[in-house]
Amino acid sequence: MTEAFSPKNIIVTGGAGFIGSNFVHYVVDNHPETHVTVLDALTYAGNLDNLKGIPEDRLTFVHGNICDAELLDELVPGHDAIVHYAAESHNDNSIADPEPFLRTNVEGTFRLLGAVRKYGIRYHHISTDEVYGDLALDDPARFTEDTPYHPSSPYSSTKAASDLLVRAWTRTYGLQTTLSNCSNNYGPYQHVEKFIPRQITNILSGIRPKLYGDGLNVRDWIHTDDHSSAVWTILTKGRIGETYLIGADGEKNNIDVLKLILTHMGQDEDAFDHVKDRPGHDRRYAIDSTKLRRELGWQPEHTNFQSGLDKTIAWYTQHQEWWEQTKAATEARYKSQGQ
């Protein structure tokens, strides 16, 4: 077993976004010896309200872009690790305009790796299971760390490119890195453009939910708190240069998730409309997290999806002021795309 790494000052890129802010809360709540610096460009998916309630002495916020090499030169010294969450991550947006995805996901990772090399600190790279493409609905296989890359969308191809940069820089320059690919996260602070919060907020807004295609596409859901604990475990205990897949055995197809949301919110389970499918829509994702569990002893806590979904519905119901302002613009964008 590798000797545990105990970071005292970490930079979390994209720490005002959904899974990044949940990770910041996790670190602050569970590791009082660690100070967090959040670097976030506050694009539409970043929200300072996601960091509310964190004590000022535990958190430093820096408004900036990961592509800014001069800023990284100022910021990185004095920190002992970067946890890189910052990404453009919405498939529909990547299909409409791939350029921001190339800039943030590829160039941004390149700039961070340059800073990591220059200042000799640790680096953990957050990626997605979408880099592996998809699986057939009737295929018993799941993604493992050895699954070949086969990305389907502009988004997933830029994440695949960033993963390969991390591996190449690690081998060529001897960087101290780890990498994780995770399945679909759900939980509080997720932008209303994403599947679960979009359906919940549609119902709360009196809008009839919409479902792409036949709705049989399978996603492997994990509560964002479990993702956070897994990332911390990999950062502090993972073997340098290794990749770990993070999953909680949460395979569900989209139509079943939507019906669960509808019934839990007092609606008829068929109270939704089918809309034209997304181009290149992946059919099934499924994660085998055996390596993470066996090597590092990690286990998910939120293994009851129905319970986790109930808590997520309750959060969006109780925090309407958090999402109401962005809801109208999000739905207008979907409407312009025919969705």
Side-chain angles (χ1 to χ4, degrees):
M1 181 70 118
T2 306
E3 186 179 342
F5 170 56
S6 302
K8 297 293 184 283
N9 291 290
I10 65 172
I11 295 170
V12 178
T13 71
F18 163 46
I19 55 174
S21 64
N22 277 287
F23 178 72
V24 173
H25 281 280
Y26 172 84
V27 173
V28 169
D29 291 345
N30 294 280
H31 300 284
E33 72 287 356
T34 304
H35 182 273
V36 180
T37 298
V38 168
L39 173 60
D40 200 297
L42 294 181
T43 56
Y44 77 95
N47 187 341
L48 278 177
D49 287 345
N50 296 357
L51 300 171
K52 274 186 175 174
I54 295 177
E56 287 186 13
D57 63 332
R58 300 293 311 283
L59 176 71
T60 301
F61 178 78
V62 177
H63 183 199
N65 196 300
I66 56 172
C67 295
D68 185 342
E70 288 184 9
L71 174 61
L72 295 176
D73 276 335
E74 294 174 17
L75 186 61
V76 171
H79 293 86
D80 42 22
I82 295 174
V83 183
H84 178 33
Y85 280 92
E88 292 282 351
S89 66
H90 196 255
N91 268 307
D92 291 327
N93 295 346
S94 80
I95 293 166
D97 181 10
E99 189 166 337
F101 291 76
L102 284 157
R103 189 177 309 118
T104 298
N105 299 352
V106 182
E107 182 187 347
T109 298
F110 165 70
R111 298 295 177 194
L112 289 169
L113 291 171
V116 167
R117 181 187 176 198
K118 190 172 184 178
Y119 298 106
I121 69 170
R122 290 281 275 268
Y123 174 89
H124 180 72
H125 186 76
I126 307 294
S127 191
T128 170
D129 57 357
E130 295 189 41
V131 299
Y132 300 114
D134 61 352
L135 300 161
L137 294 180
D138 59 354
D139 186 346
R142 295 190 290 172
F143 299 136
T144 73
E145 289 80 4
D146 297 321
T147 302
Y149 276 26
H150 195 233
S152 308
S153 69
Y155 159 60
S156 56
S157 67
T158 60
K159 289 300 291 184
S162 70
D163 292 7
L164 296 177
L165 290 178
V166 173
R167 293 203 178 104
W169 262 241
T170 300
R171 177 167 173 168
T172 302
Y173 302 115
L175 302 189
Q176 301 283 294
T177 73
T178 45
L179 195 155
S180 59
N181 300 82
C182 189
S183 53
N184 288 59
N185 279 235
Y186 73 99
Y189 302 114
Q190 188 170 25
H191 194 281
V192 293
E193 69 186 1
K194 300 290 189 169
F195 180 70
I196 286 178
R198 187 184 184 202
Q199 312 303 353
I200 294 170
T201 56
N202 275 350
I203 295 165
L204 290 171
S205 303
I207 300 169
R208 193 171 167 90
K210 297 175 177 62
L211 185 69
Y212 284 140
D214 57 17
L216 297 180
N217 309 69
V218 171
R219 299 297 176 256
D220 193 346
W221 294 100
I222 182 171
H223 194 281
T224 185
D225 289 349
D226 284 333
H227 186 210
S228 295
S229 70
V231 168
W232 181 263
T233 299
I234 296 165
L235 174 68
T236 56
K237 298 179 182 176
R239 287 187 290 135
I240 295 301
E242 290 294 313
T243 294
Y244 297 88
L245 265 57
I246 302 172
D249 304 320
E251 283 189 66
K252 298 272 186 298
N253 69 37
N254 289 347
I255 196 167
D256 287 345
V257 173
L258 178 52
K259 287 181 175 183
L260 267 178
I261 292 169
L262 283 159
T263 54
H264 283 224
M265 297 182 72
Q267 306 282 311
D268 187 278
E269 69 169 23
D270 296 318
F272 65 90
D273 297 322
H274 288 272
V275 295
K276 182 181 175 184
D277 209 353
R278 167 195 294 154
H281 197 180
D282 287 343
R283 290 303 274 172
R284 173 173 164 258
Y285 305 143
I287 287 271
D288 182 344
S289 58
T290 300
K291 177 179 175 181
L292 172 62
R293 299 182 192 213
R294 184 180 294 150
E295 268 195 24
L296 307 184
W298 175 83
Q299 291 289 334
E301 292 184 11
H302 298 267
T303 52
N304 184 323
F305 179 74
Q306 200 158 320
S307 170
L309 191 60
D310 274 345
K311 289 174 184 172
T312 303
I313 291 168
W315 190 89
Y316 282 92
T317 304
Q318 293 159 12
H319 294 83
Q320 296 200 27
E321 76 291 345
W322 181 86
W323 55 263
E324 275 176 337
Q325 287 186 324
T326 55
K327 180 66 178 172
T330 299
E331 291 305 315
R333 189 171 72 246
Y334 270 118
K335 190 173 182 182
S336 72
Q337 297 168 356
Q339 296 151 350

